[in-house]
């Protein structure tokens, strides 16, 4: 059924990199979410009022908030698809994250309100009217939410949308919340012990925690999260696959939402090759790789001496020293400047985020170890790795 809806309402549904197609996916997800959640809200609200169950009423309000979330998601996808303008030269794609953040705060506020209602029910318990209709409504809700979760997860994966993935997680969480309400209803039917208020409190806490998690998830892209390791590997493999490129470093990736990724990197080329030839290769990489990966790619060309035996030996020795401190460290742009009394070793060292040693401690260790090699002095520039892959994921 999911595939049928996609093919029916999303023209050119296979072209998920197309902004217009991606917008249609978002509109479809929002429309399905609005209609199904409003349906669940009304049947649960009616059932909750008739039966006097605060837990069912709380679950109904949760469905209403989900419908509101779908409305905001719809608006977010519409705005995110707007082209760049003078005030927003990187486009509007991050609006999807902003809308997700707004939805998260709404969910938290609703959860806190439901906590208060549930506490009142705990302190002043009332009898609940249990019927097969009540049970049936809850079962229908569980099945609907399960389908919603699978639907949003499928669409979210198709278009790589964190907002839809978060919506899918929220729907699947609701399956557990509604199941808790069903359990409390069945428990009351057999024991006449009113645990409705307690279950309502569980649902309210569940909603609040889910809202907090969504704030974190939607906030990460806005703060500037690390690029995906698979993306880093693919970009590195594509760049270094070109003849004439011997290495790369200083990769930085900035994402302004889907289809708005900007990357810059330093590509190492042999210093003894004609600069016009190397520049032509770099131009080809920027154009071809940028188009293939749908990114705005800028490459700085770094000439590297590769045919000097003494420089290569010193570089290998310094690299061994750096790797002995940690395999997470690396060097680049190595040069040896020889003078009448000493030789300066000029290079950059790349340090990963949250490293155990300070920049100064690392440099002092290298200074001391290099002095053991002879009359050498280090001139070190520290680079911090903004596109880092942990050793365990390499």
């Amino acid at each position: 059924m999911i595939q049928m809806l996609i093919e029916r309402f999303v023209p050119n549904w296979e072209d998920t990199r197309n902004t217009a197609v991606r917008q249609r996916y978002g509109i479809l997800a929002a429309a399905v979410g609005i209609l199904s959640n409003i349906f669940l809200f009304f049947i649960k609200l009616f059932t909750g009022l008739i039966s006097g169950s605060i837990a069912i009423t709380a679950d109904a309000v949760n469905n209403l908030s989900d419908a509101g979330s779908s409305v905001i998601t719809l608006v977010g996808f519409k705005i995110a698809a707007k082209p760049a303008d003078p005030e927003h030269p990187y486009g509007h794609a991050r609006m999807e994250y902003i809308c997700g953040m707004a939805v998260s705060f709404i969910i938290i506020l609703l959860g806190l309100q439901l906590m208060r209602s549930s506490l009142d029910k705990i302190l002043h318990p009332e009898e609940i009217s249990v019927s097969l209709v009540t049970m049936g409504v809850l079962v229908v809700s569980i099945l609907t939410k399960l389908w919603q979760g699978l639907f949003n997860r499928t669409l979210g994966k198709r278009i790589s949308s964190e907002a839809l993935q978060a919506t899918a997680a929220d729907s699947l969480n609701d399956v557990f919340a509604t199941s808790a309400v069903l359990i409390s209803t069945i428990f009351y039917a057999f024991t006449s012990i009113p645990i409705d208020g307690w279950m309502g409190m569980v649902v309210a806490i569940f909603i609040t925690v889910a809202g907090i998690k969504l704030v974190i998830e939607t906030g990460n892209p806005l703060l500037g999260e690390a690029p995906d390791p698979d993306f880093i590997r693919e970009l590195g493999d594509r760049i270094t696959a070109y003849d004439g490129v011997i290495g790369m470093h200083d990769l930085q990736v900035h994402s302004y939402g889907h289809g708005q990724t900007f990357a810059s990197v330093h590509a190492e080329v042999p210093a003894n090759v004609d600069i016009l030839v190397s520049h032509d290769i770099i131009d080809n990489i920027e154009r071809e790789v940028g188009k293939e990966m749908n990114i705005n790619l800028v490459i700085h060309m770094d000439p590297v001496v590769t045919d000097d035996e003494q420089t290569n030996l010193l570089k290998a020795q310094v690299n061994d020293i750096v790797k002995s401190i940690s395999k997470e460290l690396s060097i680049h742009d190595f040069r040896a400047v020889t003078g009448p009394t000493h030789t300066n070793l000029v290079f950059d060292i790349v340090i990963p985020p949250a490293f155990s040693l300070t920049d100064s401690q690392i440099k002092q260790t290298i200074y001391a170890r290099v002095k053991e090699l002879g009359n050498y002095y280090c001139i070190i520039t520290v680079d911090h790795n903004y596109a880092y892959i942990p050793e365990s994921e390499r």
Side-chain angles (χ1 to χ4, degrees):
M1 183 178 180
I2 295 175
Q3 184 60 36
M4 182 187 71
L5 288 172
I6 292 173
E7 294 180 8
R8 173 67 178 82
F9 294 102
V10 182
N12 302 317
W13 58 272
E14 293 176 306
D15 187 14
T16 54
R17 287 194 174 188
N18 185 297
T19 302
V21 172
R22 191 171 187 276
Q23 183 184 11
R24 294 290 298 182
Y25 269 97
I27 292 172
L28 173 61
V32 169
I34 292 169
L35 294 175
S36 58
N37 282 308
I38 288 178
F39 165 73
L40 290 177
F41 166 72
F42 279 116
I43 64 171
K44 282 187 188 177
L45 180 63
F46 177 78
T47 304
L49 293 176
I50 295 299
S51 65
S53 171
I54 185 63
I56 296 177
T57 304
D59 214 24
V61 175
N62 183 33
N63 291 140
L64 183 62
S65 73
D66 289 341
S69 300
S70 296
V71 172
I72 296 177
T73 299
L74 177 61
V75 174
F77 270 96
K78 294 287 287 184
I79 297 177
K82 291 177 59 179
D85 55 39
E87 290 76 24
H88 308 93
Y90 296 102
H92 300 78
R94 279 187 176 176
M95 181 56 68
E96 184 180 331
Y97 307 139
I98 295 173
C99 289
M101 181 75 74
V103 169
S104 303
F105 282 117
I106 292 172
I107 292 173
I108 292 172
L109 291 174
L110 286 170
L112 295 174
Q113 178 62 39
L114 292 174
M115 281 186 196
R116 188 173 70 173
S117 301
S118 298
L119 180 60
D120 181 67
K121 196 73 170 182
I122 292 171
L123 297 176
H124 307 95
E126 299 176 1
E127 290 188 5
I128 302 173
S129 175
V130 181
S131 66
L132 291 177
V133 174
T134 303
M135 305 288 191
V137 166
L138 293 176
V139 170
V140 168
S141 176
I142 291 171
L143 294 176
T144 303
K145 277 296 178 180
L146 182 60
W147 182 84
Q148 272 187 11
L150 296 176
F151 177 76
N152 285 306
R153 177 179 290 178
T154 300
L155 268 61
K157 287 182 177 180
R158 288 276 181 91
I159 64 173
S160 300
S161 170
E162 293 189 8
L164 291 185
Q165 292 281 27
T167 301
D170 186 39
S171 295
L172 295 175
N173 287 340
D174 288 344
V175 171
F176 297 104
T178 305
S179 297
V181 176
L182 179 60
I183 291 170
S184 71
T185 305
I186 295 174
F187 185 83
Y188 181 81
F190 284 96
T191 67
S192 297
I193 299 175
I195 62 169
D196 180 60
W198 292 101
M199 281 300 186
M201 181 65 73
V202 170
V203 173
I205 293 172
F206 199 86
I207 293 170
T208 305
V209 172
I212 294 172
K213 288 181 178 179
L214 287 174
V215 168
I216 297 172
E217 290 173 2
T218 55
N220 283 336
L222 293 173
L223 288 174
E225 60 186 348
D228 180 47
D230 290 336
F231 172 86
I232 299 174
R233 292 190 192 95
E234 182 182 357
L235 181 59
D237 290 344
R238 286 175 180 266
I239 292 175
T240 54
Y242 281 77
D243 290 335
V245 176
I246 58 178
M248 55 170 279
H249 56 268
D250 286 353
L251 172 63
Q252 296 189 32
V253 180
H254 302 278
S255 175
Y256 292 87
H258 179 79
Q260 294 293 328
T261 301
F262 295 77
S264 63
V265 66
H266 289 214
E268 298 171 354
V269 298
N272 58 353
V273 174
D274 189 324
I275 190 172
L276 294 179
V277 173
S278 294
H279 187 268
D280 184 67
I281 294 171
I282 297 301
D283 275 350
N284 289 336
I285 298 173
E286 286 181 333
R287 181 176 57 257
E288 294 169 4
V289 176
K291 182 179 180 180
E292 292 166 2
M293 297 189 66
N294 193 30
I295 59 176
N296 188 312
L297 179 62
V298 176
I299 302 178
H300 173 78
M301 184 173 66
D302 276 342
V304 177
V305 175
T306 58
D307 55 357
D308 185 272
E309 184 177 343
Q310 180 63 20
T311 299
N312 291 338
L313 175 62
L314 288 170
K315 180 180 179 181
Q317 290 175 319
V318 172
N319 187 62
D320 288 342
I321 290 172
V322 170
K323 290 297 183 183
S324 70
I325 299 173
S326 173
K327 292 182 179 180
E328 303 287 340
L329 302 176
S330 62
I331 63 172
H332 60 83
D333 285 350
F334 186 91
R335 302 192 306 279
V337 183
T338 303
T341 61
H342 67 278
T343 297
N344 286 332
L345 305 182
V346 185
F347 59 91
D348 294 4
I349 183 167
V350 182
I351 302 176
F355 195 67
S356 57
L357 301 176
T358 65
D359 296 358
S360 178
Q361 288 173 327
I362 294 171
K363 291 168 72 173
Q364 291 301 322
T365 302
I366 296 173
Y367 291 153
R369 296 284 301 278
V370 168
K371 286 293 291 181
E372 297 174 2
L373 299 177
N375 199 18
Y376 299 109
Y377 293 88
C378 293
I379 301 174
I380 303 174
T381 299
V382 174
D383 287 341
H384 289 278
N385 197 341
Y386 296 101
Y388 171 67
I389 303 178
E391 185 73 22
S392 60
E393 297 184 29
R394 294 177 186 173

